Amino acid sequence: MGWRDRFGLRKARKRGKARFDRAAEDSDIKTLIEFAKSRTGVEFFVEPETFATSTTAVAVAHDGEWTRRRVGSPDVIRKVARDLAAPVYDVQIVGYPQRMRDWTQRNKRGLSLDD
């Protein structure tokens, strides 16, 4: 297996239908991995592919901090989550965690956790 397809992105690109989005890259996956390794309690939420965007995943930490990146296919993020021993959920089934919405709301107003 070549280093360019370490996460299975090449195979994921062939199946995609998104028309306006760029393809997932190794840097997207590495960002999710670094996020998960630098925070506690990280869970992954897979977002489905749409006409405009390819499959994405949201990584949510225990405090609600989150990041979203392209992953190419659900199989890619499932493999990453398995390697990190982190749970992965389908956002269409379970939805987003409340802590993610709370974190976003706090940061929109510029408040910290201590406020």
Side-chain angles (χ1 to χ4, degrees), residues 43-47 56-60 88-89 91 94-97 99:
E43 299 174 318
F44 293 102
F45 295 84
V46 180
E47 299 173 321
T56 55
V58 178
V60 183
V88 60
Y89 306 104
V91 78
V94 301
Y96 296 101
R99 68 183 185 276

Side-chain angles (χ1 to χ4, degrees), residues 23-53:
E25 299 173 352
D26 283 354
S27 61
D28 294 318
I29 306 303
K30 288 178 184 176
T31 299
L32 291 170
I33 292 169
E34 290 169 11
F35 183 90
K37 287 183 175 182
S38 64
R39 289 155 181 86
T40 58
V42 173
E43 299 174 318
F44 293 102
F45 295 84
V46 180
E47 299 173 321
E49 178 179 10
T50 66
F51 181 75
T53 61

Side-chain angles (χ1 to χ4, degrees), residues 42-79:
V42 173
E43 299 174 318
F44 293 102
F45 295 84
V46 180
E47 299 173 321
E49 178 179 10
T50 66
F51 181 75
T53 61
S54 64
T55 303
T56 55
V58 178
V60 183
H62 80 284
D63 64 352
E65 183 181 2
W66 61 275
T67 187
R68 173 182 288 118
R69 294 292 185 270
R70 293 164 187 84
V71 293
S73 83
D75 294 335
V76 172
I77 194 60
R78 285 188 194 111
K79 179 184 182 310

